[in-house]
Amino acid sequence: MSNQLFSFDDKNLKEEKIDSVSKLIKKIEQNTKSKKRIYYRGHSEKKYKLIPSIARFNDFKYLGIEIPPNTNFKEAEKNFLTRFRKHTYEHKGRILSMWEALFLARHYELPVRLLDWSTNPLVALYNATFYEKDEDVKDKDGIIWYFTRKEYDGQDIDVYNDTDPLNIPGVRLIYPFNPTPKMTAQCSVFTIHQHPWEDLRYMKKNKYASQKKPNKNNHLDIKEGGRYVIPYKKKKEIQLDLYKLGINTLTLHLDLPHIVTGLKQREAIKFKVSINVLF
């Protein structure tokens, strides 16, 4: 039995492909019969790593200035959140709790140790097939990562108390309160990572095993996972079908800039899809 947390074949020998919305729904129907709790994440290109945004911070450039690869990312993240709480005071009229700051920071794409997941597989399919701003990925296969939740005798992380999220060990599942409508619409959950640069794709099941009880991974909430490949030739067709089902920019993002984008998409897409199904 493999000790790898996520089962997949990099050589594409045993890849399970999803080429339509209906095929994904059938797959989900099969999985839900087992009553497993399953979480999903979509990538527009399957080569992307399963790491939080703080571990990708050295991809950021400004005025041609690159972030050095030896940057202390933990210190950078701490500084981000400290300053974020300072600068959001005038918008909120109070100092945000650490959890609220972390959720909002992730929402506005500040690099932190949270990795986004959804309880809705169609949200993941939307993200895996969307390419409006990044035309390069329209010719690249997309991917849906999924995992089942490990059940054990421990406690879920309490996001309403004063626990410092930056001190949580292992990889834990976070059920957030939703400070933005987008998080509610996208059925958001997160994993929080003690070591954000460790790629979940290659993590071992015993990575965070308890020293006292080696068979129990007390700091790892993921039981096992896998992935579905989305053929790039099917991306456009799947996006149009998702639009007809109400899974689109207008319904998933809910902030003013995305509403404007969604309305422009509506005008473009109405020539392809019956106006009766649009919003």
Side-chain angles (χ1 to χ4, degrees), residues 2-11 46-51 145 197-207 227:
S2 172
N3 188 36
Q4 190 162 307
L5 199 60
F6 283 81
S7 299
F8 63 94
D9 188 340
D10 262 334
K11 296 181 179 179
K46 69 177 185 179
K47 73 174 185 179
Y48 293 156
K49 297 178 181 179
L50 275 179
I51 56 176
W145 293 97
W197 50 86
E198 294 182 343
D199 193 338
L200 276 183
R201 297 178 302 168
Y202 305 109
M203 187 173 288
K204 303 300 183 183
K205 291 180 180 179
N206 61 357
K207 170 68 179 180
R227 71 184 189 184

Side-chain angles (χ1 to χ4, degrees), residues 7-17 227 229:
S7 299
F8 63 94
D9 188 340
D10 262 334
K11 296 181 179 179
N12 298 322
L13 297 177
K14 301 177 182 178
E15 294 285 19
E16 187 164 12
K17 290 182 169 58
R227 71 184 189 184
V229 173

Side-chain angles (χ1 to χ4, degrees), residues 87-263:
H87 288 286
T88 53
Y89 180 85
E90 62 181 298
H91 298 275
K92 298 293 184 179
R94 58 184 174 82
I95 299 295
L96 303 179
S97 72
M98 279 294 289
W99 281 111
E100 188 175 10
L102 195 65
F103 297 149
L104 274 177
R106 178 67 199 107
H107 171 75
Y108 289 110
E109 300 186 0
L110 194 67
V112 293
R113 65 183 59 204
L114 295 179
L115 191 62
D116 305 69
W117 300 83
S118 176
T119 57
N120 186 341
L122 296 183
V123 172
L125 185 60
Y126 168 87
N127 289 327
T129 56
F130 187 78
Y131 60 82
E132 180 189 53
K133 291 184 179 180
D134 189 356
E135 287 286 327
D136 289 342
V137 300
K138 73 177 181 180
D139 296 327
K140 304 289 178 59
D141 290 345
I143 202 92
I144 293 177
W145 293 97
Y146 64 88
F147 71 85
T148 57
R149 166 76 190 269
K150 176 182 289 187
E151 300 292 349
Y152 62 97
D153 295 333
Q155 297 291 323
D156 286 339
I157 301 296
D158 183 1
V159 298
Y160 297 100
N161 67 19
D162 294 329
T163 301
D164 185 350
L166 304 188
N167 289 330
I168 291 175
V171 178
R172 301 295 306 276
L173 190 62
I174 301 295
Y175 299 103
F177 50 81
N178 294 348
T180 68
K182 172 184 172 181
M183 289 175 61
T184 302
Q186 297 194 13
C187 304
S188 295
V189 295
F190 299 105
T191 44
I192 189 167
H193 299 239
Q194 179 184 8
H195 302 297
W197 50 86
E198 294 182 343
D199 193 338
L200 276 183
R201 297 178 302 168
Y202 305 109
M203 187 173 288
K204 303 300 183 183
K205 291 180 180 179
N206 61 357
K207 170 68 179 180
Y208 292 105
S210 168
Q211 293 183 353
K212 294 182 180 180
K213 298 179 179 180
N215 294 327
K216 298 191 72 173
N217 297 58
N218 294 333
H219 300 308
L220 180 62
D221 283 344
I222 299 173
K223 182 178 181 180
E224 58 188 0
R227 71 184 189 184
Y228 305 128
V229 173
I230 317 299
Y232 72 87
K233 291 183 178 179
K234 293 292 184 177
K235 281 186 174 182
K236 183 177 180 179
E237 178 183 330
I238 290 173
Q239 273 283 309
L240 290 173
D241 286 342
L242 287 172
Y243 202 105
K244 289 186 284 185
L245 293 172
I247 306 295
N248 54 62
T249 302
L250 277 173
T251 60
L252 292 183
H253 289 277
L254 304 177
D255 56 11
L256 285 175
H258 283 98
I259 288 174
V260 171
T261 298
L263 290 174

